[in-house]
Amino acid sequence: MTTRLMTLTILSLFLASGGCSIAQVQHEESTPRFGSSVKMAVQDQTLNPLPAGTEPVRGMDGKYTQAVVEKYQSGPKPETKSTNTSVADIIIGGK
């Protein structure tokens, strides 16, 4: 009698665990595949090749380019530090 009960218990556990494997959820990636942003950009440009805005492109004139080159060649300017720094200025982020 106990072997029969033990066999039925083991058999029911086996069948129950086998039923759990049937209800598996199919896994799909939550992030787009690598390189998909480039493919999407190419598709968008193929569908609509016109530029997004009507403003002229900045940086195509000689004056602007010359100013950028001069600023680049002069390098960064050193910041002047104030000598009258108080704790309130440091906390508030003033001066």
Side-chain angles (χ1 to χ4, degrees):
M1 179 78 176
T2 58
T3 47
R4 186 177 259 177
L5 182 62
M6 182 77 121
T7 306
L8 286 174
T9 305
I10 292 173
L11 183 61
S12 65
L13 287 174
F14 179 72
L15 290 175
S17 66
C20 292
S21 66
I22 293 172
Q24 291 182 352
V25 177
Q26 185 176 357
H27 173 70
E28 294 182 15
E29 289 187 39
S30 61
T31 57
R33 296 183 58 115
F34 182 75
S36 63
S37 62
V38 175
K39 291 177 186 176
M40 289 171 36
V42 169
Q43 288 174 354
D44 289 345
Q45 290 175 355
T46 303
L47 294 174
N48 187 9
L50 298 176
T54 58
E55 297 178 9
V57 179
R58 185 173 180 190
M60 297 298 283
D61 60 336
K63 291 180 183 179
Y64 178 77
T65 306
Q66 183 65 32
V68 169
V69 169
E70 289 174 0
K71 185 176 179 181
Y72 175 76
Q73 288 176 347
S74 67
K77 297 178 182 175
E79 294 182 17
T80 59
K81 295 185 179 183
S82 71
T83 56
N84 299 332
T85 305
S86 67
V87 176
D89 289 337
I90 294 172
I91 293 173
I92 297 173
K95 294 183 185 181

